Amino acid sequence: MSAQTSVTASLPSPSSSSSLSPLTAQTTAVRPSTMTLPPSSPATGVTDSERLYGPPGWTVRIGLWHLLQPWLDTPRLLPHERLLTDEAALLTDAVGAPVNDYVPFRGMDAATAADLLLRLPTSALADRQNLSPSLRAMLTACARADGRVRLSGYGIGPQREDERLCVEALWVADPDLQGYEVFAEHSRACQCSALWERVRQRYELDARCIPDDIVRTRPEWAGGGVGWWMWWD
């Protein structure tokens, strides 16, 4: 996973949802604990017709793995290494399915999200990471935000009965949201609930609970821009 940078801000609490103080921050390198272990495989013996969202290989047929390629959660490479490895960054078999059944990605952009909304089966768009927003809601928020919302998650390959795409985190960089204060210990001064409510309403997110992790970060895949990382376990 790419290194990210946490920004700790000392600001007066916003007096209203429309008036926030300018951000004054210091940065320290951190790696938020946002990695999800690969989901366990379902019990064997499931027939093709019982698969979650389509027959085996449906993710290959809609071009999912090609779309995820630019956003693979792989180690940073030197320029000369990228030239040698970019085309083979995602190892696939003869039919285009990923060799690994678990493929994490980070920082998906608006164009990719809009494309996936057109390609994914309707049933697959209802998928959600436990209590997170639905896949449709996450992709729609990203597609409409003009770069201010980016997505992270994982794909499950055709080797598994639960073949699918899942988004487990969004990164929100709206300038008017950066004045909130969020603390790891969630003290009374923590404004995580107010921040989440603004994000939820603005992007019409149908989550069933507040994110498990809210951290201000400067991810490499966003060019070092500051934003809120919101992740569901």
Side-chain angles (χ1 to χ4, degrees):
M1 183 173 63
S2 301
Q4 300 177 351
T5 303
S6 172
V7 179
T8 304
S10 297
L11 298 169
S13 300
S15 57
S16 69
S17 62
S18 61
S19 176
L20 295 172
S21 302
L23 178 67
T24 302
Q26 295 180 338
T27 64
T28 54
V30 298
R31 290 180 180 270
S33 57
T34 55
M35 286 299 293
T36 298
L37 293 176
S40 58
S41 301
T44 58
V46 178
T47 66
D48 292 348
S49 62
E50 293 173 326
R51 287 200 167 194
L52 281 177
Y53 305 128
W58 70 265
T59 55
V60 178
R61 287 187 285 277
I62 70 167
L64 173 63
W65 309 109
H66 174 73
L67 291 176
L68 290 186
Q69 179 117 355
W71 315 113
L72 295 180
D73 187 16
T74 55
R76 300 294 290 182
L77 301 175
L78 296 175
H80 71 279
E81 293 174 321
R82 291 194 197 102
L83 293 176
L84 297 174
T85 61
D86 272 357
E87 293 301 318
L90 179 61
L91 297 177
T92 57
D93 62 18
V95 298
V99 172
N100 294 320
D101 62 5
Y102 174 77
V103 181
F105 65 89
R106 293 286 181 269
M108 179 189 292
D109 68 358
T112 305
D115 202 345
L116 285 168
L117 281 167
L118 297 176
R119 299 189 188 206
L120 286 164
T122 299
S123 58
L125 290 170
D127 187 88
R128 65 178 74 226
Q129 171 76 7
N130 296 322
L131 301 179
S132 77
S134 65
L135 180 57
R136 182 190 296 277
M138 297 276 241
L139 291 172
T140 300
C142 181
R144 294 177 177 175
D146 194 25
R148 298 188 310 278
V149 174
R150 306 282 286 270
L151 304 178
S152 300
Y154 55 88
I156 298 298
Q159 305 93 323
R160 299 256 299 266
E161 285 83 2
D162 57 339
E163 180 181 4
R164 71 192 190 279
L165 173 70
C166 185
V167 172
E168 62 184 357
L170 70 159
W171 179 82
V172 183
D174 293 20
D176 66 322
L177 300 178
Q178 302 310 315
Y180 284 89
E181 291 185 291
V182 175
F183 304 107
E185 66 276 13
H186 296 293
S187 62
R188 292 186 64 182
C190 183
Q191 298 172 332
C192 59
S193 294
L195 170 61
W196 163 242
E197 188 61 20
R198 289 284 301 280
V199 172
R200 186 190 67 78
Q201 292 183 0
R202 177 171 298 179
Y203 291 108
E204 300 179 357
L205 298 171
D206 56 355
R208 295 170 178 171
C209 75
I210 190 171
D212 294 287
D213 197 9
I214 300 178
V215 182
R216 199 195 310 269
T217 64
R218 292 183 182 273
E220 293 181 19
W221 39 255
V226 65
W228 291 106
W229 171 270
M230 299 184 170
W231 172 82
W232 284 262
D233 194 358

